[in-house]
Amino acid sequence: MVLGKGSTTATLTTEDVQQLLASAYGDLLVGAGLDPAHKRVLVIIPDGTRTAPVPLIFRLLYEQLGRRVAQLD
């Protein structure tokens, strides 16, 4: 499964990232037949050799999953 939204001239908006995250974890959980409730979720972030908006992504993941899972790290 490949999800994304790319452009050579534009930056992803917060709303774009929210939609991509919701789609990615939704497809993953549904495809595996998993209910995220009472699950522990570990987010592995890129090391210093790669760039990513880690604070934004983690904040959005927490907003979408934080209250639904047993633990989010």
Side-chain angles (χ1 to χ4, degrees), residues 11-12 17 43-58:
T11 302
L12 292 174
V17 177
V43 178
I44 300 175
I45 62 171
D47 63 18
T49 63
R50 292 169 179 82
T51 60
V54 174
L56 171 65
I57 292 172
F58 196 84

Side-chain angles (χ1 to χ4, degrees), residues 4-6 8 12 23 36-37 45 49-50 53 64-65 69 71-72:
K5 182 176 181 179
T8 58
L12 292 174
S23 180
I45 62 171
T49 63
R50 292 169 179 82
Q64 294 180 18
L65 285 179
V69 297
Q71 186 172 338
L72 178 64

